[in-house]
């Protein structure tokens, strides 16, 4: 885990950059027992380590080919013969865990088989932060991810050489979180639409997957779902709120010689939460009230309400917040009347 003094937990209820929130990690197989992690700001430097014929280069090229590409692509490796013996190198999950706290947010797996993809998906789900994005060619594989809200699936069969998982991350992930829905992402560079019927596409969506299809003559993503049926922008927004509140509160602690354990210190923390959630409202993560203000609340407890065990350790556990997310229209239904004169 990263070193920090602030931890934010978000509990999702359903009654009705910071730098890194769009960066990809390519987690690739290696013949070496030595695992590695490196960040690349372009294909020229990456090519020195991963030639054009490699799966890593092809994923990275698809990322960098997009108009909204991130500033960098990270590459980490695991051993093809990795196992319990450290001398054999790290397994894919061990490497994933080792580099989880690096500055990436979307993981790509160019070499993994179905069982390895599921293992990483489950490992990431346990963290409740970041995403795994997969290109899937076999419909039968979709069902195994059904419980995982942080895995994004793109069904893209019979399209060798088209790295749709990398392309969509390059196109959408680094745009301002909250400003877009991941449906309707059109004209991805290097990606062509699949041939699929409306009924087949409906079944793909029901399985928690997305596709790249032709609508009104425009190639575009068919939905913006995660594998359990949540929306990508909804989950990405949670990550933004968590990351920004943690970093801003940590900065508050670092910038002040002392944050007093009284109403003054509590008000400082409340102000940080209000500022972050106001920015989240501007970005489109938090919904707006009719007067244009953010539909969120920030609450705090007095020191009298804090457990003595926390007070003794100088821990303030009385801050909380609630917000209503801003959604997006994914379909429109229109009725009309023809007046016969």
């Amino acid at each position: 885990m990263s070193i920090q003094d602030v931890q934010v937990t978000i509990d999702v209820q359903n009654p009705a950059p910071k730098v890194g929130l769009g960066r990809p990690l390519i987690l690739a197989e290696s013949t070496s027992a030595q695992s590695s992690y490196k960040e690349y700001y372009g294909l020229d430097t990456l090519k020195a380590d991963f030639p054009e014929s490699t799966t890593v280069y092809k994923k990275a090229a698809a990322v960098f080919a997009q108009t909204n590409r991130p500033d960098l692509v990270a590459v980490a490796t695991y051993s093809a013969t990795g196992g319990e013996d450290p001398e054999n190198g790290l397994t894919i999950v061990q490497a994933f865990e080792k580099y989880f706290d690096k500055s990436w947010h979307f993981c790509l797996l160019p070499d993994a088989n179905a069982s390895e993809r599921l293992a990483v998906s489950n490992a990431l789900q346990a963290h409740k932060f970041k995403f795994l994005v997969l290109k899937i060619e076999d419909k039968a594989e979709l069902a195994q991810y059904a419980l995982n809200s942080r895995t994004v699936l793109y069904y893209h069969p019979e399209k060798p050489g088209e790295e749709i998982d990398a392309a969509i991350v390059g196109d959408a992930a680094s745009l301002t979180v909250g400003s877009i829905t991941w449906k309707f992402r059109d004209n991805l560079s290097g990606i062509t639409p699949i041939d699929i019927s409306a009924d087949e596409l409906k079944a793909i969506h029901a399985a928690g997957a997305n596709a790249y299809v032709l609508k009104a003559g425009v190639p575009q993503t068919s939905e913006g779902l995660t594998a359990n049926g949540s929306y990508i922008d909804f989950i990405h927004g949670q990550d933004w709120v968590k990351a920004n509140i943690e970093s801003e509160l940590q900065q508050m602690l670092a910038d002040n010689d002392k944050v007093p354990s009284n109403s003054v210190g509590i008000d400082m923390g409340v102000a940080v939460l209000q500022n972050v959630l106001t920015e989240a409202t501007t970005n489109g993560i938090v919904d707006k009230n009719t007067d244009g203000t953010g539909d969120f609340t920030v609450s705090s407890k007095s020191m009298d309400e804090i457990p003595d065990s926390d007070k003794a350790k100088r821990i303030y556990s009385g801050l909380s917040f609630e917000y209503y997310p801003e959604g997006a229209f994914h379909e429109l239904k229109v009725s009309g009347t023809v007046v016969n004169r």
Side-chain angles (χ1 to χ4, degrees), residues 223-262:
E223 253 302 346
L225 301 170
T226 68
N228 80 334
S230 298
Y231 290 106
I232 302 167
D233 59 309
F234 171 65
I235 305 294
H236 204 194
Q238 290 179 51
D239 287 359
W240 187 96
V241 170
K242 172 183 167 67
N244 278 265
I245 289 179
E246 286 183 346
S247 63
E248 293 300 321
L249 286 176
Q250 186 72 51
Q251 196 65 47
M252 179 193 75
L253 294 172
D255 287 347
N256 291 275
D257 291 333
K258 179 180 181 179
V259 176
S261 56
N262 54 34

Side-chain angles (χ1 to χ4, degrees), residues 23-94:
R23 289 173 170 174
L25 169 72
I26 302 173
L27 184 55
E29 186 179 76
S30 171
T31 56
S32 172
Q34 185 67 41
S35 180
S36 64
Y37 175 93
K38 188 174 180 180
E39 295 174 351
Y40 300 89
Y41 289 86
L43 290 176
D44 289 342
T45 52
L46 182 139
K47 186 163 55 176
D49 296 329
F50 300 96
E52 294 182 23
S53 60
T54 62
T55 58
V56 169
Y57 183 92
K58 292 172 183 177
K59 291 291 187 193
V63 171
F64 283 128
Q66 310 308 314
T67 302
N68 307 313
R69 59 189 177 274
D71 60 336
L72 64 82
V73 167
V75 179
T77 61
Y78 60 95
S79 175
T81 58
E84 297 301 322
D85 183 355
E87 292 185 1
N88 292 332
L90 299 180
T91 67
I92 189 171
V93 173
Q94 289 169 337

Side-chain angles (χ1 to χ4, degrees), residues 108 116 125 148 268:
L108 304 171
E116 289 173 327
Q125 189 67 25
N148 290 353
M268 292 170 66

